[in-house]
Amino acid sequence: MPELIKDSGSFQEVIKGNQLSVVHFSADWVEQCKQVDDVMDTLSKQPEYANVKFAKCLAEELDEISLKYNIEAAPTIILFRSGKDIDKVDGADPAKLTAKVKQNNTKVDNLNDKSGDNLEQRLKSLINKHKVMLFMKGNPETPRCGFSRQIIEILKSAGVAYDSFDILTDEEVRQGLKSYSDWPTYPQLYVNGELLGGLDIIKEMQAAGELESALEG
Ligand SMILES: N[C@@H](CCC(=O)N[C@@H](CS)C(=O)NCC(=O)O)C(=O)O
């Protein structure tokens, strides 16, 4: 049975930690929320989700938290890992909610499996996955940050082939790459395993007519 979050202290308790946390922003008077309650209840009883935290909060009673996470209507379900929101389901959509819990929990499992691995090796292999490799928020079809969206447009106009990695799906890579490359933000664009830069640098290169040759490596 999902825990009922009553204040911001218990909310922080629920979302912290490397496990997946699934929080239903609910309103008692909205019929669809009952459907989400049932799905959350069923999922919480499945052995494969034994380490996932399922919780519910009454969105109108915790307005500061609802504001922070842009809750516009109940039900909204937000998935968290290590205190950060990593995914979201708007409205009562049992199939989508189930799929997202499964998908994001698999990522945590992968992360845990890899915890003994050398993070540096993982980062190196990701950086070298493609000649031009973009680390961004979201994916080229659905960028989840304006900076990432702009760099996608630039790469599109340069007509270059590239691969991308969504750092919102992997907190270890998100934080690890910042220190590995000594670069604090995303997007990060790599060519032949070397950091070319973030959005501002890429824009400068484009303005100077240097981008296409830099992308050639
Ligand atoms: N001026 C930066 C803009 C990028 C930026 O500020 N990104 C922020 C917000 S999307 C970021 O990645 N913050 C660190 C994080 O979210 O982990 C650039 O040239 O790339």
Side-chain angles (χ1 to χ4, degrees):
M1 182 71 137
E3 165 185 351
L4 182 63
I5 297 173
K6 297 213 169 104
D7 52 41
S8 70
S10 14
F11 175 74
Q12 292 304 331
E13 275 304 309
V14 166
I15 66 167
K16 77 176 191 192
N18 188 36
Q19 83 295 325
L20 180 66
S21 301
V22 185
V23 182
H24 170 199
F25 290 81
S26 173
D28 276 346
W29 50 273
V30 178
E31 196 57 35
Q32 284 182 314
C33 290
K34 297 195 177 65
Q35 200 184 350
V36 174
D37 283 342
D38 290 344
V39 178
M40 298 267 290
D41 195 31
T42 306
L43 291 173
S44 71
K45 289 177 181 145
Q46 293 183 11
E48 62 186 298
Y49 301 133
N51 56 359
V52 176
K53 288 190 189 170
F54 291 92
K56 159 176 165 168
C57 67
L58 297 173
E60 292 156 319
E61 287 178 17
L62 296 178
D63 47 353
E64 215 172 284
I65 298 173
S66 301
L67 207 62
K68 177 166 179 197
Y69 294 101
N70 296 320
I71 306 300
E72 285 167 353
T76 295
I77 302 91
I78 301 196
L79 286 73
F80 295 87
R81 190 190 310 142
S82 304
K84 298 235 159 51
D85 48 324
I86 54 167
D87 215 335
K88 183 179 181 186
V89 180
D90 291 309
D93 187 338
K96 192 167 176 187
L97 176 57
T98 305
K100 285 202 180 268
V101 169
K102 187 179 167 106
Q103 176 195 353
N104 285 287
N105 192 47
T106 307
K107 280 171 194 153
V108 174
D109 284 347
N110 288 342
L111 199 67
N112 291 338
D113 287 349
K114 284 174 194 131
S115 59
D117 285 1
N118 186 330
L119 174 61
E120 195 173 316
Q121 284 308 323
R122 251 192 100 201
L123 295 175
K124 273 188 190 155
S125 101
L126 277 174
I127 287 168
N128 288 286
K129 197 170 158 229
H130 196 281
K131 184 177 171 190
V132 180
M133 188 67 198
L134 176 67
F135 291 79
M136 64 178 290
K137 293 188 177 178
N139 56 53
E141 292 71 41
T142 319
R144 290 183 60 191
C145 160
F147 302 116
S148 291
R149 186 180 45 74
Q150 289 181 58
I151 206 162
I152 290 293
E153 289 306 317
I154 294 174
L155 291 175
K156 221 186 267 175
S157 70
V160 66
Y162 65 96
D163 200 351
S164 68
F165 183 89
D166 179 0
I167 49 101
L168 294 178
T169 64
D170 195 321
E171 194 59 23
E172 194 180 33
V173 171
R174 179 178 182 173
Q175 301 309 339
L177 197 55
K178 288 180 189 173
S179 36
Y180 178 81
S181 296
D182 199 15
W183 195 267
T185 54
Y186 293 96
Q188 294 185 12
L189 186 67
Y190 292 78
V191 177
N192 291 328
E194 297 286 328
L195 178 65
L196 201 57
L199 177 65
D200 291 346
I201 291 188
I202 303 305
K203 274 183 173 171
E204 280 166 23
M205 290 181 125
Q206 188 189 35
E210 293 164 359
L211 183 61
E212 290 186 15
S213 64
L215 292 173
E216 306 268 300

